[in-house]
């Protein structure tokens, strides 16, 4: 078995749509369901509602195999493997809100023909609880490791595929693994709880790496080391690895903040205090705010100062602003009395940044500014004519490079005051 296993996808958000398009690309007929009628209508017309490089092309190319609907019955009729891709946002208590997952299980009703293939990130124990309640329903935990901005590439070139299935669902586990077989990646066959933990632990570990290097950056600033050099020297040690060692203004997005919190909470619910993750979260929150001190160092009080935020999305190549550092910075800066102007090449920042002025271009944001703060490393910010075009327009030629990606030496030579992170 490989191609032509009809696939159901339930919840056509970012993960659902990437999964649907990639499964279609692998040759499968895909029946994808979402409850939002407007979304289904526009997807049926071939319009992709999110910014994800390569995705519109894939949807267009595989339009004949991609069927979008609002009807669960239609999906359940055509497919037996149902990828559950609904979102699981954090609740006030820090637990994951599983109401959308529950709704899918309810809607499926009694069946022994189907398996729910869980792509949504859920607390460890969710699979067991669902199986206990819905005897007969197959259950496979198949967490996703996709990064926004490179999701299509990540799907097609996975480091590993994790397939968690308990004894009763072993045959469904085999069928899920077979879907990924053409990708040639190692498949980790394991139990459901371990698969669920692999997902949470992977994100928590990556977030830990980031908070770790951010603390090294902060100490490097004090002792005169350059964190980029330090990360390069550390990363070549195969045991450490060079990826996710980029210091910056903190991690954001819809995954790391939520999943680190969820794992901490999961541990807390069992009575275990996950001390390390508590620090990872705190370091990240402080890191988002450290820019304020850097600005004050050069500008003194920020009251009435014009601060330009370059980048609003939580990282480049996405329009996602969830838990983005820009939101925290904008709020803190305005709290300090500064006037904030912000620009992002893709993300729609209107109404996201409190009283900040949303600009149409980087130039507009920088015109008359007392400082530029690079929050997101969009390539176009490195290509700006800082010396010729921007310096004459800024009130103070001060750049805080929150991602260490501008040309530090070039900017300094051009007369800018440059502050990076840990260098
Ligand atoms: C993350 C994981 O990388 C994926 O493996 C996972 O599947 C996904 O969450 C998820 O759970 O769905 P994503 O949130 O899209 O992916 O983005 P990342 O590229 O991981 O970046 C997250 C944040 O960390 C960004 O704010 C980024 O700027 C920051 N970051 C990343 C750093 O500050 N330094 C780094 O070295 C790397």
């Amino acid at each position: 078995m490989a191609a032509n296993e009809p696939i159901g996808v339930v919840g056509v958000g970012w993960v659902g749509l990437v999964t649907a398009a990639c499964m279609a690309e692998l040759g499968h007929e895909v029946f994808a369901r979402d409850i939002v009628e407007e979304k289904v209508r526009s997807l049926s017309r071939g319009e992709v509602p999110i910014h994800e490089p390569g995705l519109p092309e894939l949807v267009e190319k595989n339009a004949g195999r991609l069927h979008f609907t609002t009807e669960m019955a239609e999906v359940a009729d055509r497919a037996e493997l149902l990828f559950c891709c609904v979102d699981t946002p954090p609740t006030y208590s820090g637990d994951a809100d599983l109401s959308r997952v529950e709704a899918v299980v309810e809607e499926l009703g009694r069946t022994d023909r189907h398996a729910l293939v869980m792509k949504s990130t859920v607390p460890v124990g969710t699979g067991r609880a669902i199986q206990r309640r819905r005897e007969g329903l197959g259950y496979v935990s198949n967490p996703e490791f996709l990064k926004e901005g490179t999701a299509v590439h990540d799907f097609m070139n996975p480091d590993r595929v994790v397939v968690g299935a308990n004894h009763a669902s072993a045959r469904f586990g085999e069928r899920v693994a077979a879907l990924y077989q053409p990708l040639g990646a190692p498949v980790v066959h394991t139990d459901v709880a371990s698969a669920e933990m692999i997902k949470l632990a992977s994100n928590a570990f990556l977030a830990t790496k980031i908070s770790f290097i951010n603390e090294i950056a902060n100490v490097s600033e004090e002792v005169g080391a350059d964190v980029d050099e330090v990360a390069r020297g550390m990363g070549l040690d195969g045991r450490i690895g060079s990826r996710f060692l980029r210091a910056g203004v903190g991690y954001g997005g819809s995954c790391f903040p939520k999943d680190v919190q969820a794992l901490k909470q999961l541990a807390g619910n069992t009575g275990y205090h996950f001390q390390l993750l508590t620090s990872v979260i705190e370091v990240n929150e402080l890191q988002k705010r450290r820019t304020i001190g850097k600005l004050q160092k050069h500008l003194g009080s920020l009251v009435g100062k014009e601060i330009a935020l370059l980048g609003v999305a939580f990282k480049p190549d996405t329009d996602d602003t969830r838990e983005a550092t820009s939101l925290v910075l904008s709020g803190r800066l305005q709290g300090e009395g500064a006037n904030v102007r912000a620009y992002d090449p893709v993300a729609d920042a209107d109404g996201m940044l409190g009283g900040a002025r949303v600009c149409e271009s980087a130039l507009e944001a920088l015109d008359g500014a007392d400082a530029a703060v690079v929050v997101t490393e969009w390539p176009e910010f490195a290509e700006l004519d800082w010396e010729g075009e921007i310096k004459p327009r800024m009130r103070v030629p001060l750049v805080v490079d929150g991602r260490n990606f501008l040309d530090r030496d070039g900017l300094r030579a051009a007369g800018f005051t440059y502050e990076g992170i840990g260098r």
Side-chain angles (χ1 to χ4, degrees), residues 22-229:
C22 291
M23 283 295 175
E25 172 74 5
L26 289 173
H28 306 284
E29 206 73 25
V30 177
F31 301 89
R33 182 274 187 138
D34 202 282
I35 51 174
V36 181
E37 274 177 41
E38 178 49 37
K39 192 194 279 182
V40 168
R41 265 200 303 271
S42 59
L43 280 166
S44 300
R45 289 194 298 265
E47 292 159 17
V48 173
I50 50 172
H51 179 86
E52 184 60 45
L55 190 56
E57 292 81 351
L58 218 57
V59 168
E60 189 187 341
K61 180 175 164 210
N62 296 291
R65 277 196 288 270
L66 279 167
H67 315 280
F68 297 99
T69 175
T70 52
E71 298 300 323
M72 184 67 136
E74 198 180 323
V75 174
D77 227 30
R78 309 299 290 269
E80 293 175 354
L81 297 180
L82 307 175
F83 284 79
C84 182
C85 304
V86 296
D87 57 340
T88 52
T91 59
Y92 188 68
S93 64
D95 295 291
D97 175 0
L98 294 177
S99 58
R100 294 164 181 82
V101 173
E102 305 287 352
V104 172
V105 175
E106 278 314 304
E107 263 186 293
L108 263 177
R110 297 238 156 260
T111 169
D112 55 12
R113 194 167 68 85
H114 297 94
L116 201 57
V117 185
M118 191 57 69
K119 279 228 167 279
S120 303
T121 302
V122 294
V124 181
T126 303
R128 199 178 48 197
I130 290 176
Q131 277 177 301
R132 236 189 245 140
R133 256 198 357 251
R134 271 280 182 271
E135 216 185 312
L137 174 66
Y139 190 95
V140 180
S141 170
N142 176 222
E144 52 90 9
F145 303 101
L146 311 172
K147 299 185 292 306
E148 292 189 25
T150 55
V152 170
H153 177 269
D154 293 347
F155 194 104
M156 291 300 189
N157 303 275
D159 289 340
R160 81 309 207 179
V161 171
V162 174
V163 177
N166 294 340
H167 186 66
S169 293
R171 67 203 158 97
F172 288 117
E174 291 303 331
R175 279 165 69 180
V176 171
L179 297 174
Y180 292 97
Q181 193 245 326
L183 304 178
V187 178
V188 180
H189 285 281
T190 184
D191 60 280
V192 171
S194 301
E196 291 167 341
M197 184 59 106
I198 288 170
K199 166 67 188 189
L200 289 176
S202 297
N203 271 2
F205 186 78
L206 292 171
T208 303
K209 263 185 115 172
I210 297 170
S211 275
F212 181 85
I213 201 68
N214 281 339
E215 288 217 280
I216 294 293
N218 299 342
V219 178
S220 292
E221 282 174 12
E222 298 304 319
V223 299
D226 181 334
V227 72
D228 288 353
E229 293 298 300

Side-chain angles (χ1 to χ4, degrees), residues 4 27 44 46 61 84 100 144 170 192 239 253 256 266 269-270 350 384 388:
N4 287 330
S44 300
K61 180 175 164 210
C84 182
R100 294 164 181 82
E144 52 90 9
V192 171
R239 294 169 301 175
F256 283 178
L266 181 76
N269 291 346
T270 72
D350 272 332
L384 292 169

